[in-house]
Amino acid sequence: MIKLFKQYYRVISYLFFGVLTTVINIGVFAALQLLTAWNYQVETVIAWFLSVLFAYITNKLWVFSSHTTGLKAFFTEMSSFFFFRLLSLVMELVIMWIGVSLLKQNAIVVKVVDNVVVIVANYVFSKVFIFRKR
């Protein structure tokens, strides 16, 4: 069991922190839905920003164990992370627009569905482009 955990540590920890990131994303979105009269896309961006900040910290420290040295390397890595997360934000906004505006579905249900797509895309971006072994 321990051998399997060590072998799949990166995927397991990504899924664990991905679930927490998703909870933050959907939780903030749902809270804004209940507490404000803002447009769902504004709420999506706010929820995205807070969850991406959490995701960067957890991915850097525990999922990919990235140890950058110096400010330049840190900002390069962080910029890369946020750039690829911006791509997933665009995916998220498109999915939300299709689900809520075109298909007239419940915004929170669409948000849950869009997070499944985004989690997979973000793992690929992180593994291949951001925290790759140099």
Side-chain angles (χ1 to χ4, degrees):
M1 184 75 161
I2 292 174
K3 184 179 178 185
L4 271 176
F5 179 78
K6 286 181 179 180
Q7 183 178 356
Y8 294 105
Y9 171 79
R10 193 169 279 170
V11 172
I12 293 167
S13 61
Y14 182 81
L15 290 173
F16 174 77
F17 288 113
V19 167
L20 293 179
T21 299
T22 301
V23 167
I24 291 169
N25 191 314
I26 294 170
V28 169
F29 180 80
L32 291 172
Q33 282 272 292
L34 294 171
L35 301 173
T36 71
W38 298 341
N39 179 283
Y40 70 87
Q41 290 183 328
V42 171
E43 297 164 343
T44 296
V45 171
I46 293 168
W48 169 85
F49 178 77
L50 293 174
S51 62
V52 167
L53 192 57
F54 174 80
Y56 175 70
I57 293 166
T58 58
N59 277 238
K60 177 176 180 51
L61 297 177
W62 294 295
V63 177
F64 297 102
S65 301
S66 174
H67 303 287
T68 52
T69 53
L71 280 178
K72 183 178 185 221
F74 170 75
F75 283 114
T76 299
E77 180 184 80
M78 188 171 69
S79 298
S80 178
F81 188 86
F82 273 85
F83 170 76
F84 283 103
R85 288 308 196 265
L86 276 170
L87 293 179
S88 64
L89 173 62
V90 170
M91 291 172 24
E92 195 168 337
L93 290 170
V94 168
I95 293 167
M96 291 297 292
W97 176 73
I98 291 169
V100 175
S101 295
L102 295 182
L103 300 176
K104 306 294 186 211
Q105 298 300 307
N106 178 281
I108 295 173
V109 172
V110 175
K111 183 75 169 166
V112 170
V113 171
D114 100 56
N115 267 265
V116 172
V117 174
V118 166
I119 285 171
V120 173
N122 285 340
Y123 181 78
V124 172
F125 293 154
S126 292
K127 184 168 176 54
V128 174
F129 298 110
I130 302 163
F131 296 112
R132 68 186 183 276
K133 296 290 180 201
R134 290 172 174 39

